[in-house]
Amino acid sequence: MAKKQKRERTESQARRSFVRACSFIGIFLSAIIFVVSAILNWVDGSLGRISSILNLVASLALLAAVAFPAYEFVRSLRNRKAWTIVYWVCLVVYVFGVVFGMIRFF
């Protein structure tokens, strides 16, 4: 009989599974929060403040779902330093846009 080989989990496999789990959890939470927010708006229009807070949480959950895979992608590019700077600038702009609403310059 052939012996079963014991396969050890590498660090990169663990990182990929963490990224996938964060992506799924972020999308799952966002979907649930968007549905709850829509129901609250439909039931009573005066719950707009709660609805806007739920939308903020949903947007931040989507950020977590997208930020990890995007960072892994940026790390794999040839001009790593430049794209990493672009990644962080875009991430900061997105977070400020989500937290402070629509970005206005004038």
Side-chain angles (χ1 to χ4, degrees):
M1 285 227 255
K3 290 185 179 180
K4 289 185 179 180
Q5 291 182 351
K6 190 175 184 179
R7 296 176 67 184
E8 293 185 21
R9 188 173 176 185
T10 63
E11 183 180 342
S12 64
Q13 288 173 333
R15 189 178 318 125
R16 279 192 299 261
S17 64
F18 173 73
V19 168
R20 290 176 184 157
C22 285
S23 298
F24 174 75
I25 291 169
I27 290 173
F28 180 76
L29 287 176
S30 294
I32 289 175
I33 291 171
F34 281 136
V35 168
V36 169
S37 176
I39 291 171
L40 287 177
N41 276 338
W42 181 68
V43 170
D44 188 9
S46 66
L47 295 174
R49 181 113 173 121
I50 294 172
S51 177
S52 66
I53 291 172
L54 289 177
N55 283 333
L56 172 67
V57 171
S59 295
L60 291 175
L62 278 178
L63 170 68
V66 173
F68 291 117
Y71 187 70
E72 291 294 322
F73 173 73
V74 166
R75 287 182 51 191
S76 70
L77 296 175
R78 291 181 80 202
N79 195 354
R80 185 174 172 177
K81 188 172 185 176
W83 284 112
T84 303
I85 292 169
V86 170
Y87 168 81
W88 285 109
V89 168
C90 291
L91 192 64
V92 167
V93 169
Y94 178 80
V95 169
F96 277 116
V98 167
V99 173
F100 298 116
M102 187 177 197
I103 296 175
R104 297 181 187 185
F105 291 105
F106 299 104

